Each structure stands twice: as C-alpha cells, then as structure tokens.
Amino acid sequence: MDFLPLFHQVGDQSALIVGGGPVAARKAQLLLEAGASVTLLAPELAAASQILVDEARVLWINAVYEARHLQQMDLIVAATNDQQVNHQVAADARQLRLPVNVVNDPTAGTFIFPAVIDRSPVVAAVSSSGAAPVLTRLMRGRIESLLPASMGLLAQLVGQYRKQVQETLSGSTARRRFWERVLNGVIADRAMTGQKEAAGRLLEEELQHFRQGDHGRGEVYLVGAGPGDPDLLTFKALRLMQQADVVLHDRLVSPEILALVRRDAELIYVGKRRSEHAVPQEGINELLIRHARAGKRVCRLKGGDPFIFGRGGEEIEQLAAAGIEFQVVPGITAASGCAAYSGIPLTHRDYSQSVRFVTAHLKNNTSDLKWDELVTAGQTLVFYMGLVALPEIARQLCAHGCSPDMPVALIEQGTTPQHRVFTATLSTICDLVDQHDVQAPTLIIVGEVVKLHHKLNWFKPAVEG
C-alpha cells in the first residue's frame, strides 16, 4: 500500500495552492467544501480560478512563488504547469514539515487527492495511488451509482439516536442487529426521502420492540422490475431486492433480474398466465401478510410498473388493512420500455399528441371498452395483454372509424435478448401473427408513430410484415 488513506479535518486550516489554472481551481473547490481557508498564488488566473476570487471564496496573491509564501500555511498544493516550480514547492514544504500535494506527480508530494464520493457526513474515497486517474474516476462513478444521494440524511438519523440506542440495548450483538434492521428497511427509506419525523418515530417504535425482545416486525416492498432488461431497474429497486428475505415474483420477471436478488432469499413463483394462475391473487395477498408478520422483509417483484395493470393497488390495500409497513418502487412500464427499444416514440409533434394505455383482457371473448373514445385523431394506443384479443381489437377499431391502413406494431419480449418487432396495419396484422408464431408477452401499439420505427429503431433489426 503506497498511501495510507486518512481523513483530515481541515476546517480550521489555511491551504496555499501554488497555481491559478483549472486544476488549481478544482483543488480549491475540494478544500473549500471541506471547510479550509484557501489562498491562490499565481501571477495570473484562469477563468475558473478567477470566479472563485470574484466570489470572495478564496484569496489571491498576485506573485511568482517564493519559499516565504509557505509561512503561516498548514497545507500546500503545487498545481502549476511547470514541474520545476512544483518540485521546488514540494521540497520547501517538506523542509517545513508541511503536507504537500504535487498534481500529476504523486511521488513528489506527501499526500494525494482521492476521488471523493460525498454523502456528508458519509464520505468515501477511491485512489489508484496516482497510477490510473481515469480508472479511479470510473470506480468513483460505480460507487456513486450504488450510494443513494440522500445517504447523508440517514447518517444524520443514526447519529441522532446512537446514544439512545446504546443506553437502551445492552450488548453489541443486540445493537448490531437493531441497526441492521433500521438501515435495511422502511426506516432508512423514510429518512432518505426527507421524512425525518416519520423515520424517527418508526425508529423509536422499533427500539422499544427490540428492548422487549421482539425483533419480528416485517415489511413489504412492492417493486416494479421493468419490462425485462436488468439495466432498466432503478437503484432503489436493486437495493431493496438485495435486502429482501422473501421474493414473490411474476412470470414476466426475467431470469437475469432474478439473478440480482439476494442469493439466500426465498423465491416464490406467483406468476399468472391466461386462465392459469400459479397462485390466486387472494393467495398472493395472504403470502405477503404472513411472511411480513413473521418478521421478514418481503419483496413483491412485478414486471413493468406495479400500478399499471399490475394489481399493485389491490395488494397494498390488503397490507394497509393488515397494518403491515410497505413501500412502493415504480418501474419502467412495458409501454415506455418496449416502445423506446423499438424506436417508436409514444408521442410526437407531427403524429401523436396523446397516448392511452389499455388492458385488452377479454371476458367471454367480448370487450366492453369504450371504442369511440379510443378512435381519436392524434392519439397513440398501447394495448397490454392483447395478443389473444388482437382480432377483436382490430375489428372494433375499424368498426368505430379507424382506418384499416392504420400502422400497428407488435413487440414480443421487449427489451430482452429475444426482443422482436412486427409491423403491419390493422387489416394485415392478424395474418402476420400466424405467419411468425408470435407469443406472449407481446405489447401492441396502434398509431401513426409506428411509422417512425423503421427510421429510429436501434435495438435490433425489425421483422417486417
């Protein structure tokens, strides 16, 4: 290990940056964020440094470097474009036993600036010891994506109650289990969404449960898994999936997404096909409540978005009636994901000024949809679960005034590696289904915007009809 990572408190220190270019400005910004008093020493300033001076955030000494400038300083940065000057600054600082950083030359100084992930008061730092700064920035980006932007709010909550927890729970094991429960559940999410009072109230209730020896309060996460591509999961969805003890999942949740669930979680398949339900809806509701009451964190993982034809509202109604804590994580609905991956904008200034989502489930091979409202100029129609009903959809739309030549797209297994797109018209689309053996899950898009598919498609070549 070439450098020992340390976190220094510089809020009461004076920092001198020798140099006035863009790099000097970036170093000044970091030091200012940590509370240091910053002085720039340079005969001239670049625009970024000049802004800091104009805003009175830093002092500027308009001069060429001399060793005397190090007097009364606590920390030094050599950031000129002249390596000879930089090395002289480093040598002078070392002689005075001052910490010094030399930009682009980690061995010349006594410390380096890492890539910083700031979720104050939580701060993470990444370094390659100066060997690979681009790699360090990429690593920082990866870590940034894993840490919620509001992580600092959660850390503040923990700091506020830390002493109370120490006084209430005896033994490090009990305290560790308590904090794991807080940091991996609904309390943490309340804190990170700015609901400070609600988070504090729940934390105090949980603390009393632990004090009484009851560690069994569970909760449910209703999570939208998106249309299939794992990269379309939200950060929050992934985080909750990886902390759940039990996962109830639909058939539309792809194997690639299930692979991201915590490895030791219990997986329960509750998928539904037409006229074939692995578990009836009432049974799903019962499973959610039973596992939560057993003290488990339960993830209800649903394809697409749970509130768009996903019966998510019915499920959380039952949870609320049972007094179970829950939270909802929206997902990218099939209409948005499948259309975007097929180069079909759902709205477009020249073709469509509105979009309508429709469930196409038929009862007794008939439909009570308000077809007159669906046949409207400048509107895109998106039918979910409509493959079996496609002949009826085409017939009814044409019967209510839609042109038989209206473009139609069928998107099969959208956003997955098996993604296929078939385009035709209302009068020819059913024949195309028979020719290509199109299977569910398939999304149907009806409207002039389908014409743009051939121009804008980027994900996979289309199968033409």
Side-chain angles (χ1 to χ4, degrees):
M1 185 167 60
D2 295 327
F3 290 88
L4 177 65
L6 300 170
F7 288 84
H8 288 270
Q9 190 175 56
V10 299
D12 59 349
Q13 295 190 338
S14 298
L16 175 69
I17 300 178
V18 183
V23 174
R26 289 198 295 270
K27 301 302 183 187
Q29 188 67 46
L30 281 172
L31 290 166
L32 288 169
E33 290 174 1
S37 299
V38 179
T39 299
L40 294 177
L41 171 65
E44 57 183 21
L45 298 177
S49 296
Q50 185 66 56
I51 290 173
L52 295 175
V53 173
D54 292 343
E55 294 177 346
R57 301 181 64 196
V58 303
L59 296 176
W60 176 32
I61 299 176
N62 185 351
V64 175
Y65 169 74
E66 296 179 17
R68 63 183 177 84
H69 290 122
L70 303 185
Q71 300 299 322
Q72 308 303 317
M73 294 295 172
D74 301 301
L75 181 148
I76 311 300
V77 178
T80 76
N81 57 8
D82 186 330
Q83 283 299 86
Q84 185 175 350
V85 172
N86 288 345
H87 285 179
Q88 185 61 55
V89 172
D92 294 341
R94 283 176 180 270
Q95 188 171 1
L96 295 172
R97 296 185 179 276
L98 292 173
V100 59
N101 167 258
V102 179
V103 298
N104 297 325
D105 193 351
T107 60
T110 60
F111 75 93
I112 59 177
F113 284 88
V116 175
I117 301 95
D118 187 4
R119 301 289 189 270
S120 295
V122 176
V123 178
V126 181
S127 170
S128 63
S129 299
V134 174
L135 176 61
T136 301
R137 288 198 296 272
L138 291 174
M139 292 172 62
R140 180 184 64 186
R142 294 285 181 88
I143 298 173
E144 289 269 13
S145 70
L146 296 175
L147 295 179
S150 54
M151 179 67 75
L153 296 175
L154 179 57
Q156 292 172 15
L157 179 75
V158 173
Q160 179 183 344
Y161 283 94
R162 185 179 178 187
K163 183 177 180 181
Q164 183 177 341
V165 172
Q166 287 177 330
E167 294 173 348
T168 304
L169 300 178
S170 60
S172 59
T173 300
R175 290 194 292 269
R176 176 181 56 79
R177 290 181 62 188
F178 172 78
W179 284 121
E180 285 177 348
R181 186 116 187 126
V182 168
L183 296 175
N184 285 315
V186 68
I187 298 173
D189 283 282
R190 292 286 191 276
M192 289 190 291
T193 53
Q195 302 176 61
K196 184 177 179 180
E197 292 184 4
R201 184 176 65 254
L202 290 172
L203 187 148
E204 291 177 359
E205 291 176 3
E206 193 71 31
L207 183 57
Q208 291 308 310
H209 283 289
F210 264 72
R211 187 178 64 83
Q212 297 164 7
D214 176 13
H215 304 165
R217 288 210 324 167
E219 56 196 358
V220 175
Y221 317 132
L222 187 62
V223 175
D229 185 347
D231 286 345
L232 295 181
L233 284 170
T234 64
F235 293 146
K236 186 172 184 179
L238 181 60
R239 176 165 54 85
L240 295 182
M241 287 164 55
Q242 293 180 342
Q243 71 186 36
D245 304 305
V246 180
V247 178
L248 280 65
H249 62 96
D250 289 345
R251 72 181 181 91
L252 295 178
V253 178
S254 67
E256 293 80 8
I257 289 177
L258 283 177
L260 299 174
V261 169
R262 202 179 87 193
R263 293 192 180 278
D264 60 342
E266 179 184 358
L267 297 179
I268 302 176
Y269 175 67
V270 293
K272 301 173 185 177
R273 286 185 172 86
R274 184 178 176 84
S275 303
E276 180 187 338
H277 295 181
V279 180
Q281 186 62 51
E282 294 77 11
I284 294 173
N285 298 341
E286 182 182 336
L287 282 169
L288 294 173
I289 293 171
R290 174 153 52 87
H291 282 292
R293 282 181 171 164
K296 296 182 178 179
R297 293 166 294 192
V298 186
C299 176
R300 175 66 171 106
L301 196 57
K302 306 171 77 71
D305 181 274
F307 279 3
I308 298 183
F309 307 128
R311 303 188 72 172
E314 299 173 40
E315 292 175 359
I316 64 172
E317 275 188 296
Q318 296 298 315
L319 295 172
I324 303 296
E325 288 286 345
F326 65 86
Q327 52 186 301
V328 181
V329 182
I332 294 178
T333 188
S336 297
C338 296
Y341 273 50
S342 304
I344 302 175
L346 295 176
T347 61
H348 188 283
R349 186 173 61 178
D350 297 331
Y351 297 98
S352 173
Q353 291 72 52
S354 65
V355 59
R356 191 156 182 170
F357 298 166
V358 186
T359 178
H361 264 316
L362 301 183
K363 294 182 179 180
N364 302 320
N365 294 320
T366 62
S367 175
D368 58 356
L369 292 174
K370 297 180 179 179
W371 296 102
D372 288 334
E373 295 181 7
L374 299 183
V375 181
T376 301
Q379 178 171 263
T380 302
L381 299 176
V382 181
F383 290 91
Y384 288 67
M385 302 168 285
L387 188 59
V388 172
L390 183 58
E392 178 70 3
I393 291 171
R395 187 183 72 80
Q396 289 282 10
L397 289 177
C398 290
H400 286 79
C402 197
S403 169
D405 295 326
M406 177 65 72
V408 181
L410 302 183
I411 306 173
E412 181 185 53
Q413 299 190 61
T415 79
T416 73
Q418 293 75 40
H419 177 107
R420 294 199 298 171
V421 181
F422 303 89
T423 59
T425 65
L426 282 176
S427 62
T428 61
I429 191 65
C430 293
D431 293 336
L432 193 65
V433 171
D434 295 335
Q435 293 170 15
H436 293 278
D437 189 30
V438 181
Q439 299 293 323
T442 296
L443 193 79
I444 302 170
I445 300 179
V446 180
E448 297 290 345
V449 290
V450 172
K451 294 177 180 178
L452 295 169
H453 161 68
H454 304 290
K455 181 188 297 186
L456 305 180
N457 180 48
W458 60 271
F459 186 57
K460 288 187 70 174
V463 178
E464 303 301 339

